[in-house]
């Protein structure tokens, strides 16, 4: 099969890493070879797949080694059910250029030939603050971009902003990057699923999965596991497996049409 | 987008801010100019300064040091590299270090001021030089002059003048300076400090002593303003350009010193008449030149000299010899320009 590369974007703290890790775990359960790449200096994307371990990041090694060579086995770690895990890492908060760190990481992974397998899941820092964080959306990397959002206005606002980045990138001639769908990671607001589904429609996409708020997510996290591993029989685990199935079967890829702020606000207002 | 306005009244709208600043800092003897950025920024400027220096018979190599940043310095921040390089350079037997930033440094936001404010045993002076902020070569010159002036304290005023912001990379820098000293000599006024052209670091302390500052060109107005604010020194905004410009320069300097300019102006007028008489063979010839290539003051002086010699100036692109750009400083500058014109017109 052709390698699938997907990227998850969304507001900080919305649950991208939790969703990514559970999605990777679910996909691995389908017998697929998965690589998850955390693209955030906070480096906690793959932690639940690694049973609570903060793995050494690519940028950590570059910093320590300097010019000395690094091998793939030093930055790629095998987590739950064979999921391969990489963290880009980056500078300490407040110095340097984290965006350049992401670009450098991608170049290094490419050199290693690490970007292989059935599915690569890119878990990217919340705000696409500069070109570096749009790197996973560039030519040759993720073709399918998923937005993770709740029904809260600020979360939708962030998702809408990311639509602007996708729109810009996908309009380039050689670009293969498309918006593949919206994942609602719910906060248990009234009418939340309907609101996010309508938002998805308005930005020329669709709601691919509604993930209800469930205490099992916190319990799994406290036990340093994904829900898939911690409570495989739970409805929540089934929800992530459904997401995995839909992601693999998805053929609805679009160039998004971001909303004006007034339109976004009145949309949110109409679902109070 | 540019948040910084471009300097006006100069033909040097472009250029690298770093190069402009280095054209100043490398003219202070026994100091080092530390370029905080990738190696290439330093190499490129070293070559340029060395080559233009040779044109002006300067055989010493420009004292440049690079922090030689690599990709990981950009990702993790370049402050460590700056600190290490400063520590190393401070061990040399030199009088001061100038720290010049580059485009990438202001992009990633290194706190250069914090690193430079540590104790190194010798003065460390920051010159902001990130070119992408809208700056030009001219901004680099002005930033360097103001940063260096900031190290000098006010002092008792003498009866001398400072020369501010000579174009150290221009071919005629020494000839132009000689012309200014000749004109000032006619008024009996000596030069206090060439700020900055081939001086010692300790000389900077006398910057506030002059009674008058003479700027090289009006593009340095911001520097003139800064020096006036800091030391109370009035300034004349430009070197004298062209025939009438030279006479009014003598008048302006004399007025500030409260002396009469008449004998000097009379003498200079005779020299100008004599000079023009030597080029009477150019009378009636047709020529053109492109005003876009020259400073506004240069344009005025071109027309003035052409009119005095009855040379017919036509629109660029029409018939007649195209004269090259130039800004003739003083009467001897006009004479050199006329020699060039003669070569072009008789070619």
């Amino acid at each position: 099969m052709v390698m699938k590369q997907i990227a998850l974007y969304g507001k900080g703290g919305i649950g991208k890493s939790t969703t990514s890790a559970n999605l990777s775990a679910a996909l691995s359960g389908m017998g697929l070879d998965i690589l998850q790449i955390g693209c955030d200096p906070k480096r906690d994307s793959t932690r639940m797949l690694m049973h609570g371990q903060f793995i050494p990041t690519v940028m950590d090694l570059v910093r320590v080694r300097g010019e000395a060579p690094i091998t793939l086995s030093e930055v790629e770690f095998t987590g739950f059910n064979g999921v391969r895990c990489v963290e880009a890492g980056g500078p300490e908060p407040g110095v340097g250029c984290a965006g350049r760190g992401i670009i450098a990481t991608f170049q290094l992974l490419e050199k290693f030939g690490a970007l292989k397998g059935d599915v690569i899941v890119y878990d990217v820092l919340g705000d696409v603050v500069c070109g570096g964080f749009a790197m996973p959306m560039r030519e040759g990397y993720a073709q399918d971009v998923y937005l993770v959002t709740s029904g809260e206005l600020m979360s939708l606002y962030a998702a809408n902003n990311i639509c602007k980045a996708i729109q810009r990138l996908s309009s380039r001639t050689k670009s293969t990057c498309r918006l593949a769908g919206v994942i609602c990671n719910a906060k248990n607001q009234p009418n939340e699923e309907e609101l996010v589904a309508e938002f998805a429609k308005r930005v020329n996409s669709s709601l691919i999965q509604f993930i209800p708020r469930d205490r099992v997510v916190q319990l799994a996290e406290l036990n340093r596991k994904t829900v898939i591993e911690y409570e495989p029989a739970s409805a929540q685990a089934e929800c992530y497996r459904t997401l995995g199935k839909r992601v693999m079967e998805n053929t609805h890829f679009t160039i998004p049409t971001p909303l004006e702020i007034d339109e976004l606000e009145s949309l949110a207002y109409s679902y109070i | 987008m540019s948040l910084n306005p471009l300097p006006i009244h100069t033909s040097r709208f472009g250029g690298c801010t770093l190069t402009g600043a280095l054209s100043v800092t490398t003219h202070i003897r026994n100091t080092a100019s530390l370029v905080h950025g990738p190696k290439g920024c330093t190499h490129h400027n070293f070559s340029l300064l060395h080559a233009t220096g040779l044109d002006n018979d300067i055989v010493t190599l420009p004292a440049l040091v690079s922090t030689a940043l690599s990709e990981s310095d950009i990702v993790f921040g370049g402050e460590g590299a700056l600190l290490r390089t400063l520590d190393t350079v401070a061990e040399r037997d030199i009088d001061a270090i100038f720290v010049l930033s580059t485009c990438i440094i202001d992009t990633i936001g290194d706190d250069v001021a914090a690193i430079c404010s540590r104790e190194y045993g010798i003065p460390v002076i920051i010159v902001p030089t990130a070119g992408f902020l809208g700056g030009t070569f001219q901004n680099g010159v002005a930033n360097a002059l103001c940063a260096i002036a900031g190290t000098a304290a006010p002092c008792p005023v003498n009866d001398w003048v400072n020369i501010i912001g000579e174009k150290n990379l221009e071919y005629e820098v020494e000839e132009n300076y000689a012309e200014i000293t000749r004109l000032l000599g006619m008024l009996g006024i000596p030069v206090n400090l060439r700020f900055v052209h081939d001086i010692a670091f300790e000389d900077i302390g006398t910057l506030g002593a002059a009674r008058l500052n003479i700027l090289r060109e009006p593009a340095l107005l911001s520097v003139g303003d800064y020096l006036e604010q800091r030391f109370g020194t009035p300034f004349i905004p430009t070197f004298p350009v062209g025939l009438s410009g030279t006479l009014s320069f003598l008048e302006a300097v004399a007025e500030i010193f409260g002396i009469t300019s008449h004998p000097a102006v009379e003498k200079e007028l005779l020299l100008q008449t004599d000079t023009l008489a030597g080029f009477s063979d150019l009378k009636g010839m047709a020529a053109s030149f492109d005003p876009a290539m020259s400073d506004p003051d240069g344009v005025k002086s071109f027309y003035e000299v052409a009119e005095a010699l009855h040379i017919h100036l036509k629109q660029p692109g029409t018939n007649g010899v195209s004269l090259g750009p130039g800004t003739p400083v003083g009467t001897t500058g006009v004479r050199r320009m006329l020699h060039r014109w003669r070569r072009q017109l008789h070619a």
Side-chain angles (χ1 to χ4, degrees):
Chain A
M1 74 179 255
V2 179
M3 180 171 74
K4 208 170 178 58
Q5 300 192 73
I6 68 176
L8 275 71
Y9 280 88
K11 178 180 170 289
I14 202 63
K16 290 181 298 298
S17 295
T18 305
T19 308
S20 299
N22 278 290
L23 173 61
S24 290
L27 292 171
S28 75
M30 296 161 69
L32 299 169
D33 176 17
I34 311 298
L35 169 64
Q36 178 165 325
I37 305 174
C39 304
D40 187 330
K42 287 197 300 295
R43 62 186 296 186
D44 58 354
S45 168
T46 61
R47 203 172 154 232
M48 295 304 126
L49 290 164
M50 294 302 304
H51 302 128
Q53 188 198 345
F54 282 106
I55 59 173
T57 72
V58 176
M59 283 295 112
D60 277 346
L61 278 157
V62 168
R63 173 159 44 188
V64 175
R65 293 284 171 81
E67 301 290 311
I70 299 164
T71 59
L72 178 58
S73 62
E74 292 173 297
V75 294
E76 189 185 272
F77 297 84
T78 306
F80 169 74
N81 203 26
V83 175
R84 292 175 291 125
C85 300
V86 171
E87 290 284 352
E92 291 295 305
V95 293
C97 180
R100 185 66 223 178
I102 301 294
I103 297 170
T105 298
F106 274 50
Q107 286 172 347
L108 207 59
L109 291 175
E110 204 134 15
K111 203 174 96 187
F112 289 153
L115 301 175
K116 62 179 198 299
D118 297 318
V119 184
I120 301 177
V121 177
Y122 299 93
D123 175 17
V124 193
L125 175 142
D127 299 288
V128 193
V129 286
C130 70
F133 292 98
M135 192 70 186
M137 290 192 251
R138 298 238 198 115
E139 194 196 338
Y141 301 113
Q143 296 104 11
D144 316 352
V145 178
Y146 289 92
L147 297 174
V148 184
T149 182
S150 71
E152 289 174 318
L153 181 62
M154 283 305 112
S155 175
L156 290 169
Y157 180 77
N160 191 55
N161 240 356
I162 295 157
C163 283
K164 292 180 188 169
I166 305 171
Q167 186 188 37
R168 180 176 306 114
L169 284 161
S170 57
S171 61
R172 292 180 185 168
T173 1
K174 281 190 188 164
S175 175
T176 49
C177 155
R178 293 290 181 271
L179 179 57
V182 178
I183 299 166
C184 178
N185 198 31
K187 295 269 181 185
N188 277 6
Q189 282 178 232
N191 305 321
E192 194 167 14
E193 185 169 359
E194 293 78 6
L195 167 60
V196 176
E198 181 60 23
F199 167 77
K201 211 174 113 190
R202 296 268 188 100
V203 298
N204 192 30
S205 188
S206 56
L207 179 65
I208 189 151
Q209 182 69 29
F210 177 78
I211 303 170
R213 192 174 180 80
D214 195 315
R215 180 152 168 75
V216 74
V217 177
Q218 277 69 47
L219 289 175
E221 250 173 36
L222 288 168
N223 284 281
R224 302 171 160 194
K225 285 173 186 165
T226 59
V227 176
I228 299 284
E229 184 181 8
Y230 177 70
E231 202 75 77
S234 63
Q236 198 73 3
E238 189 53 33
C239 189
Y240 288 123
R241 282 192 288 267
T242 310
L243 171 63
K245 202 161 160 279
R246 288 180 179 169
V247 162
M248 292 312 288
E249 288 166 0
N250 191 5
T251 54
H252 186 228
F253 306 124
T254 62
I255 293 175
T257 53
L259 307 179
E260 295 297 326
I261 180 69
D262 293 350
E263 197 183 352
L264 186 66
E265 276 179 344
S266 59
L267 171 69
Y269 199 84
S270 64
Y271 281 88
I272 289 174
Chain B
M1 178 188 75
S2 175
L3 302 175
N4 297 317
L6 286 167
I8 50 159
H9 209 91
T10 174
S11 60
R12 297 194 288 185
F13 285 116
C16 172
T17 315
L18 179 60
T19 308
L22 286 172
S23 77
V24 174
T25 61
T26 54
H27 264 267
I28 301 175
R29 294 191 294 268
N30 203 35
T31 63
S33 295
L34 196 164
V35 180
H36 186 29
K39 278 184 279 193
C41 296
T42 306
H43 176 90
H44 173 80
N45 280 291
F46 180 92
S47 304
L48 192 146
L49 292 167
H50 186 36
T52 50
L54 286 175
D55 269 346
N56 287 321
D57 297 327
I58 299 167
V59 290
T60 50
L61 298 175
L64 305 193
V65 187
S66 176
T67 52
L69 300 185
S70 64
E71 184 176 28
S72 49
D73 293 311
I74 302 311
V75 173
F76 302 117
E79 294 175 15
L82 176 58
L83 183 61
R84 282 193 303 277
T85 313
L86 270 171
D87 279 336
T88 312
V89 177
E91 282 175 14
R92 297 182 189 179
D93 185 20
I94 52 175
D95 298 328
I97 304 172
F98 300 101
V99 174
L100 301 100
S101 51
T102 54
C103 295
I104 186 69
I105 287 310
D106 281 70
T107 308
I108 69 172
D110 268 7
D111 193 346
V112 173
I115 303 293
C116 291
S117 65
R118 298 164 71 126
E119 188 48 57
Y120 295 95
I122 49 173
V124 175
I125 299 130
I126 302 173
V127 185
T129 43
F132 77 101
L133 297 171
T136 59
F137 181 96
Q138 196 62 52
N139 286 113
V141 171
N143 290 353
L145 292 174
C146 290
I148 296 164
T151 67
C155 56
V157 175
N158 57 32
D159 259 345
W160 299 9
V161 300
N162 289 329
I163 307 299
I164 307 294
E166 284 179 76
K167 298 180 177 185
N168 291 329
L169 305 187
E170 79 178 337
Y171 187 59
E172 296 185 323
V173 61
E174 293 299 346
E175 284 88 343
N176 290 339
Y177 174 69
E179 175 67 352
I180 298 302
T181 52
R182 183 184 71 80
L183 293 168
L184 292 171
M186 291 166 76
L187 298 168
I189 300 166
V191 170
N192 176 63
L193 180 66
R194 294 176 78 175
F195 186 76
V196 170
H197 183 91
D198 191 25
I199 59 171
F201 186 72
E202 61 176 1
D203 296 341
I204 296 163
T206 69
L207 178 60
R211 186 156 165 198
L212 170 68
N213 285 331
I214 297 170
L215 310 188
R216 172 62 182 84
E217 57 181 345
L220 294 165
L221 279 176
S222 63
V223 180
D225 284 336
Y226 176 76
L227 296 176
E228 183 160 35
Q229 203 182 5
R230 188 171 176 85
F231 303 107
T233 320
F235 64 88
I236 286 176
T238 181
F239 274 16
V241 175
L243 299 168
S244 60
T246 302
L247 302 179
S248 52
F249 174 81
L250 287 169
E251 285 162 1
V253 175
E255 193 186 327
I256 287 165
F257 277 79
I259 54 177
T260 173
S261 63
H262 282 302
V265 169
E266 289 301 314
K267 207 174 149 198
E268 193 63 13
L269 204 50
L270 280 174
L271 177 66
Q272 291 186 351
T273 312
D274 203 37
T275 301
L276 290 172
F279 291 91
S280 55
D281 55 307
L282 306 183
K283 195 172 176 179
M285 298 186 88
S288 70
F289 84 107
D290 187 356
M293 296 298 290
S294 293
D295 288 331
D297 290 333
V299 174
K300 211 175 109 203
S301 67
F302 258 54
Y303 281 113
E304 190 185 48
V305 173
E307 196 178 330
L309 282 173
H310 302 286
I311 295 170
H312 303 300
L313 279 187
K314 300 178 182 287
Q315 289 297 312
T318 57
N319 50 357
V321 175
S322 178
L323 301 171
T327 306
V329 170
T331 305
T332 63
V334 169
R335 190 170 60 217
R336 284 197 307 278
M337 181 176 82
L338 283 170
H339 276 296
R340 284 197 300 273
W341 284 14
R342 177 183 274 157
R343 280 197 299 276
Q344 289 173 284
L345 289 167
H346 288 313

